[in-house]
Amino acid sequence: MLRPRLARNCNVSLLTNRRNDLYPQVYHYARKTFSSKDSNVKSVAVLGAGISGLTAAFYLAKKAPGLPVTIYDSSPRVGGWLRTRNIDTNRGRVEFESGPRTIRPFGDAFLVTTDMIAKLGIGDRQLLMTGRSAASRRRYIYYPDKLTCVPTGIVNWDFSDPLFSGVFTGIIGEPFRPGRSKEVTDEAVASWVSRRVHPNVAQNMVGAMLHGIYAGDVDQLSMRTLFPELWRREGAHGSIIRSFFNFTAVKKYPASDWRLRKELVPLIRWHLNQYKKENATMVSFIGGMEVLTRALKAYLGGASNIRFRLKTPVKSLVKKHSSIQVHTTNNTPPTEFSHVISTLPAPITSSILPVPIPPLSTVESVTVQVVNLYFQNPNLVPVRGFGYLIPKTVARELNPEQGLGVIFDSETSLPTEFGDIWSDAPVEAPGTKLTVMMGGHYWKGRTTYPNDKEALQNAQSLIQRHLGIVDYPAVMQVSTQVNAIPQYTVGHHDRMAFGHELLKMYFNGKLAVAGSSYSGVGINDCTRSAYEVVRDLLEAGKPGSLKEEDWTGLHKFSGEEELLSIPIKEFSQSM
């Protein structure tokens, strides 16, 4: 049995085994064999080689090893926004992440990511941040002119601090406030939180949080899409707090989430237990987040039914009677596929269709500029923790750079104690490492952005004002990620329901979409959407599964969400 090895004097856990990557003695897979002889699925094109596209191809390779699959991407590399760069210095290597740097080991969507990690044999390259770590216990918000720690337990909050104004009275009064009208089908997050709790909580605390996840505007983002569980609870009980006192012998749970648990938990229960045992709050990889996408590419490269066509932009899709032609910009003849999965951003997907799909065309995205900084002095940051976020309520003179937040990357780096375990691991050079994020919804409508020199100056100005750091970085990197993060604005759910009907009408179950444009921007959200699209494709038309024409990737937005009544005991034992 493998046991996690703990670094001395740090709260990081490393699952390691030099003999077996995949723990074969405890891991078994139930495999369903797919045969194209009895199916209309004869070949599949996957558009996009980011995490969503790679996940879709991975499960096609696993579940249908004889099915021809071609992956298209305009880039010469795979991974999309997941990008790790290691820079050698005279003090050691410095690892920069320009995209996501951690995975949250919670929720049903994480089951898919865990399943892939296990099947790829990279479980022992995981770096687990435990609940005891500073990065897990301390997160800050800069408001109105200082860093304020947001403790993990509400009993530790200082309600006299301006940041927490309205929290106590808002929570006490929540059960007595009226629920929303049945005619309301969606609402801005700020409006909902203001109505149920307090406007200060909406703008300062929730607004800061959404800057960190979506780089978005709390006054524009959809409550129904971002927080579906809270939306459901208010609709059913009129109050969030009252809903928790509605004691019954069953739990109402979305059917799609329950199905995911039933499919995957039996396969990965050992791994889930390890996360619980270590009290893991964040997961990263020794060698950076690209460890995941590199492993996916290596696996797919060795699969006989998978073909990569990188540096091959897709120009258009043409619907034929029983197939779809994929036309590229490389002046090569079009290729026909029985089915297509597009993980491209929704507006790009719409633009290559014979008839644009307005609900897809109107999915907005924001641009984020990421500045990675490394300083040789290890004691620059005045506080320890994961980092801090900046709500839009901060005075403009205190945030003229339009910063979204700063991550203290040194807190989540590989400790030097692990150097004897992984000789190829990028043990961090001693020093301070930060990531500054700017732009997002502040830059809506812009077509030009600060160049690298200006971005570096902006980042230095911001951390000098907020953290008192005046040192010049020894190593730096600027990444401007144009239209990187989709924005689920008010009405997103209904627009996607309409998109489902249009895709169904025009393509009759031959084209489906997946990825960050629809149901979540995190790694777990993307892997889940890709997994479900593949599963539904291979099972479409079978008893208890989707009708073939309903295969669009958006069917869950259509109609009322199905809720199951799960016995409490069964539910508590399901994870």
Side-chain angles (χ1 to χ4, degrees), residues 49 52 108 114 119 125 129 134-135 143 165 169 172 208 286 298 310 352 360 363 437 470 504 518 557 560 564 570:
S52 302
D108 295 306
T114 302
K119 288 179 178 177
R125 293 199 72 105
M129 300 303 299
Y143 178 85
S165 174
T169 56
I172 293 297
I286 302 166
L310 302 180
I352 63 176
L360 272 58
V363 175
M437 302 171 294
V470 296
K504 177 180 174 180
Y518 310 101
F557 292 100
E560 291 295 323
L564 301 179
E570 182 181 357

Side-chain angles (χ1 to χ4, degrees), residues 3-191:
R3 289 182 173 86
R5 176 167 175 176
L6 295 177
R8 299 183 302 274
N9 302 320
C10 74
N11 295 301
V12 179
S13 173
L14 177 64
L15 297 178
T16 118
N17 177 17
R18 299 304 290 172
R19 295 170 301 167
N20 298 296
D21 281 342
L22 192 51
Y23 329 132
Q25 68 271 34
V26 297
Y27 207 93
H28 304 278
Y29 293 107
R31 186 168 185 170
K32 295 181 180 179
T33 303
F34 170 83
S35 173
S36 61
K37 293 180 180 179
D38 303 319
S39 171
N40 292 326
V41 184
K42 303 300 182 183
S43 58
V44 180
V46 176
L47 311 186
I51 186 62
S52 302
L54 293 175
T55 300
F58 175 79
Y59 280 105
L60 285 168
K62 281 289 185 183
K63 294 177 177 291
L67 183 68
V69 177
T70 302
I71 307 168
Y72 292 86
D73 200 286
S74 60
S75 172
R77 60 176 290 275
V78 305
W81 298 116
L82 271 72
R83 185 186 290 266
T84 305
R85 183 185 178 196
N86 288 304
I87 302 172
D88 290 318
T89 74
N90 58 4
R91 295 167 62 88
R93 283 195 282 183
V94 175
E95 181 182 284
F96 283 156
E97 297 280 6
S98 58
R101 63 209 60 229
T102 58
I103 301 170
R104 299 285 286 175
F106 310 111
D108 295 306
F110 179 61
L111 300 176
V112 178
T113 308
T114 302
D115 184 55
M116 283 203 305
I117 289 171
K119 288 179 178 177
L120 288 168
I122 56 174
D124 61 345
R125 293 199 72 105
Q126 292 178 97
L127 193 63
L128 310 183
M129 300 303 299
T130 74
R132 302 181 300 276
S133 67
S136 297
R137 292 187 293 110
R138 300 190 189 101
R139 294 168 184 258
Y140 297 84
I141 293 177
Y142 184 86
Y143 178 85
D145 58 359
K146 64 183 177 68
L147 295 184
T148 298
C149 183
V150 183
T152 54
I154 193 171
V155 294
N156 298 319
W157 290 11
D158 178 7
F159 292 109
S160 65
D161 190 286
L163 176 64
F164 303 120
S165 174
V167 172
F168 182 75
T169 56
I171 292 175
I172 293 297
E174 195 277 339
F176 308 103
R177 298 188 180 101
R180 67 175 181 269
S181 167
K182 293 184 178 180
E183 285 72 37
V184 176
T185 59
D186 201 358
E187 188 175 0
V189 174
S191 171

Side-chain angles (χ1 to χ4, degrees), residues 309-387:
R309 292 194 62 182
L310 302 180
K311 296 191 291 186
T312 307
V314 174
K315 179 172 62 176
S316 63
L317 301 180
V318 177
K319 176 70 168 63
K320 297 297 183 180
H321 175 68
S322 59
S323 64
I324 296 179
Q325 281 187 346
V326 176
H327 294 250
T328 68
T329 60
N330 290 5
N331 296 321
T332 56
T335 306
E336 288 197 10
F337 298 89
S338 68
H339 293 78
V340 173
I341 299 172
S342 177
T343 66
L344 301 174
I348 295 179
T349 296
S350 180
S351 71
I352 63 176
L353 302 181
V355 179
I357 306 294
L360 272 58
S361 303
T362 54
V363 175
E364 301 177 8
S365 294
V366 295
T367 296
V368 176
Q369 197 160 58
V370 177
V371 181
N372 302 104
L373 305 169
Y374 165 74
F375 304 86
Q376 293 184 348
N377 185 344
N379 302 308
L380 288 180
V381 180
V383 295
R384 294 195 63 192
F386 185 78

